Amino acid sequence: SQTIHQWPATLVQPVGSPLSLECTVEGTSNPNLYWYRQAAGRGLQLLFYSVGIGQISSEVPQNLSASRPQDRQFILSSKKLLLSDSGFYLCAWKGIGNTIYFGEGSWLTVV
Amino acid sequence: QKEVEQNSGPLSVPEGAIASLNCTYSDRGSQSFFWYRQYSGKSPELIMFIYSNGDKEDGRFTAQLNKASQYVSLLIRDSQPSDSATYLCAVHSGGGADGLTFGKGTHLIIQP
């Protein structure tokens, strides 16, 4: 069966510091992968998606970036965090019939 | 701009009753529709999906779709306190790789 893991689960970072969130998927090959953010009062927002190694599409302009160095690895990064980057970050993969399955999530607080 | 609208609630339902959650969407070309449940502090988990007009039942859950009215609903029969959560409606409008568009969710409270 397919599983998805992401880490770290929680982190507190100062403004201007870098960020790296990592996600890996097991039990499937060449999955479509996604990064979503859930901020208070704003719902789930699609940030990036990837259909393959090195292929990244951005849905919204921001100071975040994503990379896919391996087939089942997806990384979300920032060089300098802003207060507005705080939120719950979710990695996800697409299964059959456009169904999205989420990882456990990473809580980011920028202080 | 694709939009999915839900009443934020909270929606309070007594235990054992039917909880009815509603969702409307703006993109008439939408093809797939999903309901997720999200407990506080946790990631969303898939409850049901529906592609065709009409009803789809899975245990205590029934999803209803009306594409002409651009309306999706979720019914939860015999509501239990463990059903207390935020329910997210999500829509896929085609195109393959792009992800789902989510509503902000309805907070459901089942009163014992």
Side-chain angles (χ1 to χ4, degrees), chain A residues 68-84:
Chain A
R68 185 166 177 178
Q70 300 181 42
D71 180 45
R72 289 174 288 177
Q73 184 184 28
F74 204 21
I75 298 171
L76 183 69
S77 304
S78 175
K79 293 182 179 179
K80 291 185 178 182
L81 285 168
L82 307 173
L83 287 174
S84 58

Side-chain angles (χ1 to χ4, degrees), chain A residues 47-69:
Chain A
L47 302 176
F48 299 96
Y49 69 90
S50 171
V51 299
I53 296 174
Q55 301 180 65
I56 307 295
S57 296
S58 175
E59 289 291 302
V60 293
Q62 59 215 321
N63 71 319
L64 300 171
S65 62
S67 62
R68 185 166 177 178

Side-chain angles (χ1 to χ4, degrees), chain A residues 21-66:
Chain A
L21 301 178
E22 189 166 341
C23 168
T24 59
V25 181
E26 298 177 358
T28 184
S29 59
N30 197 32
N32 284 4
L33 297 175
Y34 305 83
W35 279 110
Y36 281 87
R37 177 172 61 198
Q38 190 174 39
R42 295 196 61 185
L44 273 165
Q45 181 185 31
L46 178 62
L47 302 176
F48 299 96
Y49 69 90
S50 171
V51 299
I53 296 174
Q55 301 180 65
I56 307 295
S57 296
S58 175
E59 289 291 302
V60 293
Q62 59 215 321
N63 71 319
L64 300 171
S65 62

Side-chain angles (χ1 to χ4, degrees), chain B residues 82-93:
Chain B
S82 59
D83 294 326
S84 297
T86 296
Y87 289 80
L88 304 174
C89 174
V91 173
H92 187 276
S93 299

Side-chain angles (χ1 to χ4, degrees), chain A residues 32 34 36 38 41-44 46 49 51 59 88 90 94 96-105 107, chain B residues 31-32 34 36 38 40-46 49 51 88 92 94 96-104:
Chain A
N32 284 4
Y34 305 83
Y36 281 87
Q38 190 174 39
R42 295 196 61 185
L44 273 165
L46 178 62
Y49 69 90
V51 299
E59 289 291 302
F88 189 37
L90 291 156
K94 187 163 81 170
I96 297 172
N98 296 315
T99 304
I100 297 291
Y101 298 96
F102 292 95
E104 306 95 330
W107 284 99
Chain B
Q31 302 171 351
S32 313
F34 304 83
Y36 287 80
Q38 186 174 23
S40 180
K42 302 296 185 182
S43 63
E45 55 180 334
L46 179 71
F49 57 86
Y51 302 145
L88 304 174
H92 187 276
D98 56 306
L100 303 180
T101 301
F102 285 82
K104 293 184 180 180

